[in-house]
Amino acid sequence: MQAEPARLVHTATSRFAITRRWFARVSAFANKATFRIKRGTPAETIEELGKRWPLTERQRQALLERGKSKTGAPFIDEKVGNINRAAFHRSAFVLNAATHLVFVDLAAQLLLSLPELKLALVAANLILAAIAHAEMRSNFRALLAGPHALPRKRRLWGLLANPRYNKAVKKSSRPYARSAWKEKTLYRSGYFFNAVAIFLGSQFIVPPERLIFPFGFLLGKITGLFSTLVVFFDGWRGIRAGDDARLAREREVSVYRALDI
């Protein structure tokens, strides 16, 4: 009688350990798939960055020195945040491409025989994923290059304005303008279009009614559940992309406040 509770406790502990290991594996896989760099102090952020990107000792030391400065720490945090956001866009559009390939047949739902439509939607999502990947690489290169030093505001002992200063300020605002355009025009539009297309064309690559009961019934329910989750995910990311575009515009405006007018 006394051995039975001990056996139950041991069984429950073993199952909890197995479940915990599975959750850890899923979390590790999601972390690798989304390429998320944990942000903290500049030293911690650089340490996490080195686990994702190959950094030479010279680059690591330069980033550590930059993180100790007053302007360098916000710069590193901003660029790493941009890398994380671009990596998330990349993973999200790859997920949408796979969803269109396997779970969506918009042409069939519209009573059209047009397999090229499926391929076009998959290709469009992969192109958006490639754009996000290029943006991620661009932010990483900008992080290694560091913030651009601005020339002096005035010249000739402060008597005349330096036109090179305002040009450099305007040039530093271009990355924010490009980021705002991508977030609003490309990513937000892509997420909302995917949400509508998946909602209208949700269907497994093999129609469930062609399968033997209950496999068709189960497949239809699973397909519907997965497609619904992706639709809500795309809607949420579309809203977030609009917020990110507004933040990029605010940063662009803040750069123009430094103009010497």
Side-chain angles (χ1 to χ4, degrees):
M1 295 294 294
Q2 294 180 354
E4 186 66 20
R7 188 174 66 83
L8 292 176
V9 171
H10 176 72
T11 303
T13 304
S14 300
R15 290 179 178 177
F16 176 76
I18 294 173
T19 305
R20 187 177 180 180
R21 285 198 298 269
W22 273 105
F23 273 115
R25 291 175 182 176
V26 172
S27 178
F29 174 77
N31 193 23
K32 290 181 180 180
T34 56
F35 202 90
R36 184 176 181 274
I37 300 171
K38 295 181 180 179
R39 297 154 65 185
T41 63
E44 293 173 347
T45 303
I46 294 168
E47 182 66 25
E48 291 293 328
L49 182 68
K51 297 177 182 178
R52 298 289 188 176
W53 297 90
L55 293 176
T56 64
E57 188 61 29
R58 184 178 179 181
Q59 292 172 337
R60 188 185 300 273
Q61 289 300 323
L63 289 173
L64 289 173
E65 289 295 327
R66 191 175 300 142
K68 296 177 182 178
S69 65
K70 185 177 180 180
T71 57
F75 175 80
I76 292 175
D77 186 72
E78 177 188 325
K79 292 302 178 183
V80 171
N82 292 342
I83 291 172
N84 285 340
R85 186 171 61 251
F88 196 94
H89 286 317
R90 181 187 63 177
S91 302
F93 285 115
V94 169
L95 171 65
N96 275 288
T99 303
H100 278 286
L101 182 63
V102 180
F103 292 98
V104 177
D105 193 349
L106 184 61
Q109 296 294 342
L110 298 177
L111 302 179
L112 299 174
S113 179
L114 195 64
E116 292 83 4
L117 180 59
K118 175 190 284 287
L119 298 178
L121 293 174
V122 172
N125 278 283
L126 292 179
I127 290 173
L128 289 175
I131 292 173
H133 178 75
E135 184 180 5
M136 184 177 65
R137 300 283 301 183
S138 175
N139 278 286
F140 177 68
R141 290 192 297 268
L143 174 64
L144 295 180
H148 297 290
L150 296 176
R152 301 174 67 177
K153 286 186 178 182
R154 314 288 292 182
R155 60 181 179 174
L156 293 179
W157 303 283
L159 298 177
L160 298 176
N162 187 1
R164 292 178 58 246
Y165 174 80
N166 283 349
K167 289 182 180 179
V169 171
K170 293 177 181 178
K171 185 178 180 180
S172 65
S173 69
R174 292 175 186 171
Y176 299 121
R178 286 196 296 266
S179 177
W181 182 82
K182 288 179 181 177
E183 292 288 344
K184 184 177 181 180
T185 305
L186 291 180
Y187 301 146
R188 189 181 69 163
S189 302
Y191 284 125
F192 286 149
F193 180 82
N194 276 315
V196 174
I198 294 173
F199 176 77
L200 294 177
S202 175
Q203 178 177 301
F204 192 65
I205 193 170
V206 176
E209 60 270 11
R210 294 184 181 179
L211 300 177
I212 301 173
F213 183 85
F215 298 107
F217 174 78
L218 294 175
L219 185 60
K221 294 298 182 182
I222 294 173
T223 301
L225 176 61
F226 180 81
S227 301
T228 302
L229 292 176
V230 175
V231 167
F232 279 112
F233 170 78
D234 283 332
W236 169 67
R237 285 308 304 174
I239 295 173
R240 286 295 304 273
D243 294 337
D244 293 335
R246 185 173 63 253
L247 178 60
R249 287 298 182 191
E250 290 175 356
R251 288 176 175 173
E252 180 187 6
V253 172
S254 68
V255 170
Y256 278 98
R257 291 173 185 158
L259 290 175
D260 184 19
I261 301 176

